[in-house]
Amino acid sequence: MTPHIELKDVRKSFGPKQVLRGLSIAVNKGRSLVVIGGSGTGKSVMLKCILGIIRPDSGEINVGGESVVGLRGTERDQLLLRFGMLFQGSALFDSLSVWENVAFGLTHGRGVARSAARDVAIDKLAQVGLTSDVGALYPAELSGGMQKRVALARAIAADPEIIFFDEPTTGLDPIMADVINNLIVDCVKRLGATTISITHDMASARKIADDIAMIHRGEIIWQGEANQVNRSGNAYVDQFIHGRAEGPIQMDVLRP
Amino acid sequence: MLQKPDAAASWNIAAHLGRAILNLLREIGLVTLFLKDMLAQGLTPTFYPRQIADQMLKIGYNSLPVVGLTAFFTGGALALQIYLGSSRFNAESLVASIVALGITRELGPVLAGLMVAGRVGAAIAAELGTMKVTEQIDALVTLATNPFKYLAAPRLIAAVITMPILVAIGDTIGIMGGYIVGTRSLGFNEYAYLKNTADFLKLDDFTSGLIKAAVFGFIIAVMGCYHGFNSRGGAQGVGRATTNAVVSSAILILAANFALTSLLFGD
């Protein structure tokens, strides 16, 4: 079976800094992959390469068995219509009301009429536990947790076949983080979507993952089923999941 | 403060100059590439009429008070100065016509351009810059919407259309400013002042100013979008983008004005 999303030996440098050093990974249809790893290891760049926001220097990226590197114009728009993405800072459009944000992919990307899109938006808001009167508010009037839920509603609004979650629980209190985790699991199950999430929150990773992969210095150094992560036998993974300062991963911190 | 070891080297004037020139050339190249994308992607279907209308309101209508006041006081001051200057050789009758020419050909478009660069150029760069650093522009892409079409093109189209309208209104108000000063404090006959203005002013004087205005609108929108889209690094980066947008469009407006004046009038 061809993987739904496949990256082969993807490399990307910014000036002298090599961010991705031959990253390879594959996700099968309907699976939820969580990529864990420290800050600055290339997690976000990996997602942006798949979406074509950043163009890799070399390597292959296939979605549904077809190469997507360097797509332009209509072909690129067609590809992006299959994706939804939840951004770390929510990235809601602050000039638009909540329901217009949720409906944006429908009204702008797909040409759905505003009134029809509004009904879909209200329905999606209900799925993330927000009432229809929230739809009339503006993003700046919402708390961080509510913004995250609106962003989740926006990501799933067009029923995408692939969804990316960029640090979905960062900056939320543990309870709201768990609410978001539950919503992610629910929404993904309902849609049957393939997902890639990146996070450094292990509680979140354990909850939403079918598979876990660890990225370190721009490469995947371990990959396995979520329940195997405690028995990985990999010193890097052990250090990360237990959050120890001592271990093979050295932070760039000046020691006293 | 600690002196860096290479402090002496950084005071090397040749090195400074070289670096500045290289940066300038690099920037010109980047703006050119950006402009190519902006025109090729932004000015082909799809268009967003709602966004264009919204920007025409923000860029054009909301700039009216600023442009009107600038033009009014400039027209008044111009009338006063020309009166003082021309009375030295009994040429006071020229006041009306020189005010009209000065406003329509040069001061109307240039001052409106500079004021709008400050108001609108800064607003465009700050808004797009904030959208960039908060990943709203990336979010737009993932929602299958091209940022050049959705964000840049409406601003460009609105600025190029509304600037000439703003300048036409500003020209009228500026001439009125001169008229009020001329008739109220300099003792010109009201009918004679208006007749002088109307007799002297040709359509070309007016349209040349409007052509300039459209070009200035283009410059303001392009520089605002370029600096906004390329801002990085949080609040400081957005601040830098805003400053750069205003300064670069002001300089380009003055340079373009010189070029256009020699093109339109020098034969």
Side-chain angles (χ1 to χ4, degrees):
Chain A
M1 162 177 177
T2 351
H4 202 184
I5 304 170
E6 188 176 25
L7 283 78
K8 281 188 199 157
D9 197 27
V10 173
R11 292 170 188 275
K12 177 71 193 175
S13 304
F14 294 101
K17 192 166 185 281
Q18 288 180 289
V19 179
L20 300 182
R21 311 172 189 225
L23 185 139
S24 300
I25 199 165
V27 197
N28 285 331
K29 198 165 173 58
R31 299 288 283 185
S32 167
L33 171 73
V34 171
V35 179
I36 57 173
S39 310
T41 48
K43 301 192 299 286
S44 294
V45 173
M46 175 186 76
L47 290 190
K48 287 181 178 173
C49 282
I50 303 173
L51 291 167
I53 295 173
I54 293 175
R55 195 179 174 152
D57 298 333
S58 66
E60 256 182 72
I61 301 176
N62 299 317
V63 174
E66 283 168 43
S67 172
V68 299
V69 177
L71 286 186
R72 299 167 69 96
T74 341
E75 284 183 318
R76 174 140 191 257
D77 290 342
Q78 288 303 319
L79 172 75
L80 287 166
L81 290 177
R82 298 158 67 182
F83 285 88
M85 174 147 179
L86 175 66
F87 285 84
Q88 187 180 348
S90 296
L92 297 173
F93 305 125
D94 32 37
S95 59
L96 300 177
S97 68
V98 165
W99 82 262
E100 286 173 316
N101 263 285
V102 176
F104 195 94
L106 299 168
T107 50
H108 290 78
R110 291 166 184 80
V112 176
R114 273 173 76 82
S115 55
R118 188 166 195 277
D119 294 339
V120 176
I122 299 297
D123 179 48
K124 297 291 173 181
L125 283 171
Q127 284 183 28
V128 298
L130 295 172
T131 54
S132 60
D133 36 317
V134 175
L137 299 175
Y138 280 81
E141 299 172 272
L142 306 179
S143 68
M146 281 169 95
Q147 288 186 357
K148 207 60 142 205
R149 285 194 267 172
V150 174
L152 177 60
R154 183 174 71 179
I156 60 170
D159 299 338
E161 58 180 275
I162 300 162
I163 312 177
F164 292 162
F165 299 100
D166 185 355
E167 309 210 357
T169 56
T170 302
L172 300 176
D173 67 72
I175 298 170
M176 184 53 77
D178 202 47
V179 170
I180 296 290
N181 287 334
N182 286 335
L183 287 173
I184 288 176
V185 173
D186 283 354
C187 294
V188 169
K189 280 222 183 85
R190 193 172 299 143
L191 289 176
T194 306
T195 68
I196 299 180
S197 316
I198 56 185
T199 188
H200 42 234
D201 172 358
M202 281 313 298
S204 172
R206 287 175 208 278
K207 191 134 193 177
I208 61 184
D210 295 328
D211 303 292
I212 293 182
M214 169 133 178
I215 188 171
H216 181 60
R217 291 163 61 84
E219 282 178 273
I220 300 294
I221 55 165
W222 182 83
Q223 183 174 8
E225 292 201 6
N227 53 22
Q228 297 297 315
V229 74
N230 291 330
R231 282 162 282 155
S232 66
N234 183 311
Y236 289 85
V237 176
D238 279 343
Q239 186 193 352
F240 190 87
I241 64 175
H242 295 110
R244 298 192 196 105
E246 284 77 32
I249 307 172
Q250 291 299 315
M251 292 285 164
D252 299 329
V253 184
L254 287 178
R255 307 213 175 262
Chain B
M1 285 292 284
L2 279 172
Q3 284 273 317
K4 280 189 196 162
D6 61 348
S10 76
W11 282 103
N12 184 334
I13 290 176
H16 257 295
L17 190 67
R19 207 173 300 129
I21 291 174
L22 283 179
N23 278 340
L24 181 71
L25 291 175
R26 204 176 77 98
E27 199 75 359
I28 292 173
L30 288 173
V31 172
T32 311
L33 289 176
F34 180 83
L35 187 61
K36 192 199 92 196
D37 284 346
M38 188 163 164
L39 297 180
Q41 295 181 42
L43 298 184
T44 48
T46 345
F47 294 101
Y48 295 97
R50 194 182 261 272
Q51 297 301 312
I52 298 174
D54 190 44
Q55 289 303 323
M56 287 180 78
L57 202 67
K58 281 188 181 152
I59 295 175
Y61 185 72
N62 294 351
S63 297
L64 260 179
V66 147
V67 169
L69 284 170
T70 312
F72 182 80
F73 290 120
T74 307
L78 203 58
L80 214 54
Q81 280 289 10
I82 293 165
Y83 179 78
L84 295 173
S86 56
S87 64
R88 292 180 193 162
F89 34 91
N90 296 324
E92 292 95 335
S93 58
L94 289 176
V95 169
S97 46
I98 297 183
V99 167
L101 283 188
I103 291 279
T104 53
R105 286 184 168 201
E106 292 292 329
L107 292 173
V110 171
L111 289 178
L114 294 178
M115 297 309 284
V116 174
R119 218 192 76 85
V120 172
I124 292 177
E127 186 179 2
L128 298 186
T130 307
M131 290 186 74
K132 168 82 185 178
V133 301
T134 56
E135 292 190 306
Q136 289 180 52
I137 291 184
D138 288 341
L140 211 53
V141 174
T142 66
L143 294 165
T145 303
N146 185 328
F148 282 108
K149 293 188 200 300
Y150 185 74
L151 296 172
R155 285 164 173 78
L156 183 70
I157 294 168
V160 171
I161 293 176
T162 56
M163 266 301 281
I165 301 173
L166 273 175
V167 167
I169 297 170
D171 284 353
T172 317
I173 296 176
I175 291 172
M176 278 212 345
Y179 167 81
I180 290 172
V181 170
T183 53
R184 297 292 134 85
S185 80
L186 303 177
F188 283 99
N189 174 283
E190 289 166 8
Y191 171 75
Y193 190 100
L194 284 182
K195 187 169 170 3
N196 246 333
T197 304
D199 283 353
F200 241 92
L201 206 56
K202 292 205 216 76
L203 190 62
D204 281 356
D205 300 321
F206 201 63
T207 48
S208 67
L210 302 192
I211 292 170
K212 284 181 175 183
V215 174
F216 299 164
F218 183 85
I219 291 172
I220 292 166
V222 170
M223 295 321 284
C225 291
Y226 170 75
H227 287 289
F229 275 161
N230 289 295
S231 67
R232 51 178 58 87
Q236 207 185 8
V238 175
R240 206 179 311 121
T242 309
T243 312
N244 287 343
V246 175
V247 171
S248 59
S249 43
I251 291 172
L252 285 174
I253 283 172
L254 293 172
N257 181 56
F258 175 72
L260 285 169
T261 298
S262 41
L263 204 72
L264 293 165
F265 299 108
D267 38 20

